[in-house]
Amino acid sequence: MARPKAFDEAAALDAAIQCFWSRGYEATSVRDLADAMAISGPSLYNAFGDKRLLYKKALEHYVQRGFCDRVRRFEATLAPRAAIAAFFDEIIELSLADEQRKGCFVVNAALEVAPHDPEFQAALRSVLCDMEAFFLRCIRAGQRDGTIDPAAPAEDLARMLLGVLMGLRVLARSRPEPELLRGLVRPALAMLGPAGPNR
């Protein structure tokens, strides 16, 4: 019978995310990670593999706990256009609450790690495609219910919103100003067309 793990894996991954997030991938050592996760070096290797594999698992955990959870909540409870607006509202609030200005773990990985690692390029491309797909589902549904302009190509609008999201996350690191960030999103939402009664 396998021995039970002597630590909470989710909590350990949360700690690893914070460590990678504050230092960056290259500057983070296995000792840094073990200390942050409150486990021994051998336990880290046994549970997660090497630093690269741990980073991959941390990224997957971050996406599940952040983006995927957000999409499930908003698509289940809000009308399509309102889901898009709520998505951006929550991202802005998270960005403004980030006193360390760490930015988005996905964007940071895309800038630091993905350019030099084909496997991470593919993983991050999948995440970005999922983000685009969320916007596309909402836009198509909004075009059907009349809350989003049906004349504009849904694919173009989804890609535009993805670009706004990425720009928002980068901008928030250097200028986390409420009106600046909201002013970036407002015209993007306006491009969806006049909001109908179901917004």
Side-chain angles (χ1 to χ4, degrees):
M1 178 181 295
R3 293 171 58 190
K5 292 178 180 175
F7 60 91
D8 182 330
E9 182 171 321
L13 285 171
D14 286 337
I17 288 169
Q18 293 301 320
C19 194
F20 281 127
W21 216 347
S22 61
R23 297 169 182 264
Y25 177 78
E26 292 297 336
T28 300
S29 69
V30 172
R31 170 64 67 85
D32 294 330
L33 290 163
D35 290 346
M37 298 163 74
I39 60 177
S40 68
S43 293
L44 186 153
Y45 282 110
N46 288 337
F48 300 106
D50 60 15
K51 185 175 90 165
R52 185 175 178 280
L53 285 173
L54 175 56
Y55 188 79
K56 185 173 185 289
K57 290 179 181 179
L59 179 63
E60 292 168 352
H61 184 67
Y62 173 86
V63 171
Q64 285 295 322
R65 293 279 291 268
F67 169 73
C68 293
D69 172 70
R70 194 171 298 119
V71 166
R72 281 191 293 268
R73 284 188 285 113
F74 293 152
E75 285 195 299
T77 60
L78 298 174
R81 186 183 177 116
I84 295 173
F87 183 94
F88 278 106
D89 284 344
E90 188 163 297
I91 292 295
I92 289 172
E93 292 307 313
L94 288 170
S95 298
L96 294 174
D98 179 14
E99 295 181 357
Q100 296 178 304
R101 300 186 187 181
K102 299 184 301 297
C104 172
F105 197 64
V106 170
V107 173
N108 295 353
L111 295 174
E112 183 187 10
V113 181
H116 319 290
D117 189 316
E119 184 179 351
F120 273 101
Q121 286 179 17
L124 287 162
R125 182 182 184 279
S126 177
V127 173
L128 295 176
C129 286
D130 287 345
M131 292 177 177
E132 182 182 337
F134 160 67
F135 290 132
L136 184 59
R137 288 194 303 274
C138 290
I139 290 163
R140 284 176 171 163
Q143 288 176 330
R144 289 193 297 270
D145 73 14
T147 59
I148 294 176
D149 183 3
E155 293 82 1
D156 289 352
L157 291 175
R159 290 166 187 152
M160 180 267 295
L161 292 177
L162 177 63
V164 170
L165 174 61
M166 295 297 101
L168 172 66
R169 293 300 247 163
V170 172
L171 189 60
R173 293 198 66 174
S174 57
R175 293 185 60 188
E177 303 160 18
E179 280 310 303
L180 175 67
L181 302 183
R182 294 182 182 121
L184 176 65
V185 172
R186 274 195 300 269
L189 296 180
M191 288 181 68
L192 300 180
N198 295 325
R199 180 171 188 250

